[in-house]
Amino acid sequence: MLSGYSQTLSAYTDYREYFYVFDDGVSQMLEYFPVQSYRVGGACLAYIDNKGVFKIFFKNNKITLEKYKVTHYFSTNNLLVYTLENQLIIFDRGKRLTLVYHPNIYA
């Protein structure tokens, strides 16, 4: 018997550059216009849309986290971590939390 594990969340663009999420075997279109970037994690899909708005797909919902373009972001199996101006912010289990202001002081 073979066993394996695969991530149930993924993202892709089609030939028209529409942006899709593939979640638990179902594809869903999220954006009509090409996105600037995206990161896939275990819990959510984070992306910057064509206008620079930072959004996530979490638990079958598209959520706008920030209306301004974030500086850096990455997604792990459980957390989304990003910087916005002088803030280090995480998104964990549906909650947005600012960890620290001026994180470059600690680098």
Side-chain angles (χ1 to χ4, degrees), residues 17-57:
E17 295 192 43
Y18 291 3
F19 185 63
Y20 289 84
V21 64
F22 182 78
D23 187 22
D24 282 330
V26 178
S27 288
Q28 179 180 344
M29 186 178 56
L30 295 178
E31 302 290 335
Y32 289 101
F33 296 104
V35 297
Q36 294 180 17
S37 65
Y38 68 92
R39 307 280 187 274
V40 179
C44 70
L45 161 69
Y47 66 96
I48 299 174
D49 74 4
N50 70 314
K51 293 181 181 178
V53 176
F54 188 57
K55 298 178 181 179
I56 63 166
F57 181 81

Side-chain angles (χ1 to χ4, degrees), residues 9-10 19 21-24 28 30 39-47 55-65 75-80 90-96:
L9 186 64
S10 186
F19 185 63
V21 64
F22 182 78
D23 187 22
D24 282 330
Q28 179 180 344
L30 295 178
R39 307 280 187 274
V40 179
C44 70
L45 161 69
Y47 66 96
K55 298 178 181 179
I56 63 166
F57 181 81
F58 176 72
K59 291 193 174 182
N60 208 29
N61 293 304
K62 183 168 70 169
I63 302 166
T64 298
L65 279 183
S75 191
T76 69
N77 282 340
N78 300 309
L79 297 173
L80 170 66
I90 63 167
F91 182 82
D92 181 22
R93 294 180 229 145
K95 296 181 181 174
R96 179 191 177 278

Side-chain angles (χ1 to χ4, degrees), residues 8 12 14 23 26 61 88 98:
T8 61
Y12 65 94
D14 67 6
D23 187 22
V26 178
N61 293 304
L88 178 64
T98 301

Side-chain angles (χ1 to χ4, degrees), residues 72 83 85-88 100-107:
H72 303 287
T83 56
E85 296 179 2
N86 292 320
Q87 302 174 60
L88 178 64
V100 67
Y101 292 94
H102 303 286
N104 56 344
I105 293 172
Y106 303 99

